Amino acid sequence: MRDFTFDIYKKMLQEFLDFGYEFITVEEYFTDDINPEKKYLLMRHDVDRKPLNSLAMAKLESELGVRVTYYFRTIKQTFKPEIIAEIASMGHEIAYHYESLAQTDGDYEKAIKDFENNLNRLRQIYPIKNIAMHGRPTSKWDSRKLWEKYDYREYELLSEPYFDIDFSRVLYLTDASRSWDNSSINLRDKVDSAFNFNIKHTQEIIDSLKSGSFPNVVMFNIHPEHWSDNSYEWYKTFMTRSVKNYIKRKIIK
Ligand SMILES: [Zn+2]
């Protein structure tokens, strides 16, 4: 069966709703009173490329009445003010998916200026409160290292999940590299998790949820560009992903 389709995504969201998970944005997680007895789902999206896919996914989510958080890169092909504004108008949170240290090849002074500049560009559209690093697989620079020299809190920001979420309590699931079972091909998007789920297909997430083994707080990081709602798009993405993952495995070895 085909995976990473809008249909299965919708089905998964509906299951979480049926199981009593409340969808909250990342901003809400850091500013609202979180009740440890209740169930919460934080859906993060990294908008790396194809912002129109994100717009389509945002509509689907909005139809289900859930609000999520979209982290936008500020590269030319992704930074589309009209699309960002339209996603925000549905009640979703917009956040900043930064890559400044990779962008400036490890020059910290240039990197912090790049960060400020792009944060301000996004803030002309939306009052950005959260950031998350884009792990550029082709760069040797890990943009999180910027915060060894500087402090994002000085920019009126609430969080960078890698530093501010306790992953011993929050289950983290990511579709990085268009696969749930991605630790072998995933260079940077890793957390020290206290949970051990071996998931290959989206259906298995639904099944694990039904077996009652999920913790109260779940954070997803999903790349909308990996998902599609028509079969030609799906097949194209599948083929290019297979080749890319093959190359990444070779590089990491
Ligand atoms: Zn990214």
Side-chain angles (χ1 to χ4, degrees), residues 30-42:
F30 285 100
T31 52
D32 289 8
D33 284 331
I34 298 300
N35 180 346
E37 306 295 309
K38 284 179 67 181
K39 291 175 175 174
Y40 297 100
L41 192 146
L42 288 95

Side-chain angles (χ1 to χ4, degrees), residues 130-181:
N130 295 288
I131 58 169
M133 177 267 314
H134 170 65
R136 232 192 244 189
T138 51
S139 169
K140 65 172 180 168
W141 297 103
D142 182 333
S143 286
R144 278 171 296 189
K145 290 215 185 310
L146 190 59
W147 312 121
E148 289 175 359
K149 267 194 96 167
Y150 303 97
D151 184 359
Y152 51 84
R153 290 173 196 285
E154 285 174 13
Y155 296 92
E156 287 176 63
L157 292 164
L158 294 168
S159 81
E160 148 61 274
Y162 293 101
F163 300 118
D164 298 305
I165 301 261
D166 177 1
F167 289 106
S168 67
R169 292 183 54 241
V170 176
L171 171 64
Y172 182 68
L173 292 167
T174 175
D175 72 341
S177 304
R178 200 179 194 246
S179 149
W180 293 111
D181 177 23

Side-chain angles (χ1 to χ4, degrees), residues 46-48 73 97 133-136 221 223:
D46 283 355
V47 189
D48 286 356
R73 285 175 83 190
H97 198 34
M133 177 267 314
H134 170 65
R136 232 192 244 189
N221 180 14
H223 298 72

Side-chain angles (χ1 to χ4, degrees), residues 11-107:
K11 188 175 161 197
M12 181 179 81
L13 295 191
Q14 190 59 58
E15 291 286 346
F16 275 98
L17 287 169
D18 292 348
F19 273 83
Y21 279 84
E22 184 186 337
F23 283 64
I24 54 171
T25 63
V26 174
E27 179 172 359
E28 285 166 338
Y29 183 72
F30 285 100
T31 52
D32 289 8
D33 284 331
I34 298 300
N35 180 346
E37 306 295 309
K38 284 179 67 181
K39 291 175 175 174
Y40 297 100
L41 192 146
L42 288 95
M43 178 61 74
R44 276 175 52 196
H45 292 306
D46 283 355
V47 189
D48 286 356
R49 295 175 301 121
K50 297 191 184 174
L52 280 171
N53 266 48
S54 288
L55 180 60
M57 197 169 252
K59 282 178 184 160
L60 182 159
E61 290 156 339
S62 164
E63 280 161 21
L64 286 175
V66 303
R67 291 180 308 115
V68 310
T69 307
Y70 282 87
Y71 288 76
F72 269 83
R73 285 175 83 190
T74 49
I75 55 167
K76 208 172 159 194
Q77 74 216 76
T78 306
F79 183 83
K80 301 287 178 199
E82 329 74 58
I83 295 177
I84 297 171
E86 195 175 343
I87 291 176
S89 75
M90 298 174 208
H92 300 304
E93 179 186 351
I94 306 298
Y96 174 25
H97 198 34
Y98 67 99
E99 55 197 300
S100 304
L101 210 50
Q103 185 71 26
T104 59
D105 234 339
D107 184 325

